[in-house]
Amino acid sequence: MIQILDLVPIWTVILAAAVFFYVLLDGFDLGVGMLYGLAGDKHSRNTIMNSIAPIWDGNETWLVLGGLGLLAAFPKAFAVIIPAVYFPILVMLLGLVFRGVAFEFRVRDAENKTVWDRAFCYGSAIATFAQGVVLGAFVQGFPVQNGQFAGTSFAFLTPFSVLTGVALMFGYGLLGAGWLILKTEGDVQAAARRSGRVCLIGVVSAIAIVSVWTPIMSPTVAARWFSLPNFVLFLPVPVLSGVVALWTWRSLNSKAEAAPFFSAIGLFVLTYIGMAVSLYPMIVPYQLTLWEAASSPRTQAFLLVGTLFLLPVILTYSSWSYWVFRGKVKAEVGYH
């Protein structure tokens, strides 16, 4: 028999990339959706809406890829994670659906535009909070027996998961503010800078709390970060996080337009790396490694053929849409 190449590292990269691209791309437009509720007049709301109108639904492609990739490549992990966080995922999907409906109906149902405006903001906030709760529950870990989730339906709901839910709202708000600074001018841009500063304070505070709470909660994480030589090897991650946070703050208080968005992305990248350092090689924290949860090599090889064909297509049309709709947006030119 011919030994098939170990494809787990490749699928790990694909899944990690899908999750990150979703968090980054849908994150900023969910953040824009939350900030939309703070806009004080029709002109500002139209400008904010037009900044994401051409690209918001395409960003959710990465959510589908991540979910299907988890099911296909790591079915044992899927069998544990999804039952454990079924309710917040359901709430997230309902929030995303309600948000999409509101996006369309605010144009088509002008008589009730205020209702749909609020629905768009609330749907964005609910979906974001639910995603943060899922993240917090994942980092905490799940009780597993015989390869199955062994907890209760509401085991996900803890002070830690609520904290990460609120933290992600601040994080997406920061990304959304950076996007609006990049895409808008005048009063809308000035308001985005103010919101960005508040969100940055929330993000930095949450990172600090989680960075202390997680190693206290998990001896495995504590040993990973604070044993030698790991402490020295991983020290650049928190140091760079502090530097990037300072850069973000300074850019929000300057006339820079691109820096707030890209520095916020940098902060997310470093946070993502920090989480990977804490949990790797676990895909179900403290229970299953990537290799233990993986499907058979032949299954992974078969699925990889189609995935490697689709990934360049997704990247191409996503990049093209951002390129075509580059530049500043106007309130009077947009989605109809």
Side-chain angles (χ1 to χ4, degrees):
M1 295 290 292
I2 299 175
Q3 180 65 40
I4 296 178
L5 179 69
D6 183 8
L7 298 178
V8 170
I10 297 175
W11 272 106
T12 301
V13 171
I14 292 173
L15 189 61
V19 171
F20 179 74
F21 279 124
Y22 174 75
V23 168
L24 174 62
L25 299 179
D26 208 38
F28 80 73
D29 74 52
L30 285 169
V32 168
M34 289 186 287
L35 296 179
Y36 179 85
L38 303 178
D41 57 78
K42 179 181 178 181
H43 180 273
S44 297
R45 288 193 292 272
N46 286 341
T47 302
I48 291 171
M49 187 66 75
N50 290 342
S51 74
I52 60 171
I55 43 87
W56 72 274
D57 47 354
N59 292 338
E60 294 175 0
T61 303
W62 298 102
L63 178 61
V64 177
L65 178 61
L68 292 178
L70 180 65
L71 171 62
F74 302 99
K76 293 180 182 179
F78 186 92
V80 172
I81 294 171
I82 299 304
V85 292
Y86 177 81
F87 282 113
I89 287 180
L90 177 62
V91 170
M92 177 195 74
L93 293 176
L94 290 174
L96 291 175
V97 169
F98 202 55
R99 176 176 181 265
V101 170
F103 197 104
E104 300 291 339
F105 272 69
R106 68 176 297 274
V107 177
R108 305 296 180 183
D109 185 17
E111 294 181 357
N112 298 301
K113 191 172 184 177
T114 301
V115 174
W116 297 115
D117 283 345
R118 291 175 179 171
F120 182 71
C121 175
Y122 296 154
S124 300
I126 290 169
T128 300
F129 179 75
Q131 288 179 22
V133 169
V134 170
L135 174 63
F138 177 79
V139 172
Q140 282 183 145
F142 310 112
V144 176
Q145 289 182 1
N146 301 319
Q148 301 293 322
F149 173 63
T152 64
S153 298
F154 291 95
F156 67 87
L157 193 59
T158 65
F160 184 80
S161 66
V162 171
L163 169 65
T164 54
V166 174
L168 196 63
M169 293 178 73
F170 280 117
Y172 281 3
L174 178 62
L175 285 173
W179 179 256
L180 291 177
I181 292 168
L182 182 65
K183 298 291 288 184
T184 65
E185 300 172 312
D187 292 341
V188 176
Q189 188 186 77
R193 290 189 187 277
R194 292 192 296 270
S195 298
R197 288 192 286 268
V198 173
C199 289
L200 179 60
I201 293 171
V203 168
V204 172
S205 300
I207 290 174
I209 295 171
V210 170
S211 297
V212 173
W213 195 336
T214 306
I216 293 175
M217 182 174 61
S218 170
T220 303
V221 174
R224 176 68 58 87
W225 279 96
F226 298 113
S227 62
L228 292 175
N230 288 0
F231 179 79
V232 177
L233 293 174
F234 301 146
L235 185 60
V237 175
V239 171
L240 285 174
S241 297
V243 171
V244 172
L246 180 60
W247 174 34
T248 307
W249 179 261
R250 295 186 64 177
S251 66
L252 288 168
N253 287 282
S254 69
K255 294 182 179 180
E257 294 191 331
F261 183 58
F262 289 105
S263 60
I265 291 174
L267 204 53
F268 266 77
V269 169
L270 289 165
T271 304
Y272 201 60
I273 291 172
M275 189 173 71
V277 168
S278 297
L279 300 180
Y280 184 82
M282 296 290 172
I283 190 170
V284 177
Y286 327 118
Q287 298 288 346
L288 291 173
T289 67
L290 290 158
W291 283 266
E292 291 170 342
S295 55
S296 70
R298 293 186 182 278
T299 300
Q300 290 190 342
F302 175 78
L303 295 168
L304 189 61
V305 175
T307 303
L308 293 181
F309 172 77
L310 288 175
L311 272 178
V313 176
I314 297 171
L315 289 169
T316 299
Y317 78 67
S318 296
S319 302
W320 181 245
S321 65
Y322 281 93
W323 173 255
V324 168
F325 295 101
R326 66 192 182 279
K328 299 292 185 179
V329 297
K330 305 293 182 182
E332 63 276 6
V333 180
Y335 190 80
H336 297 287

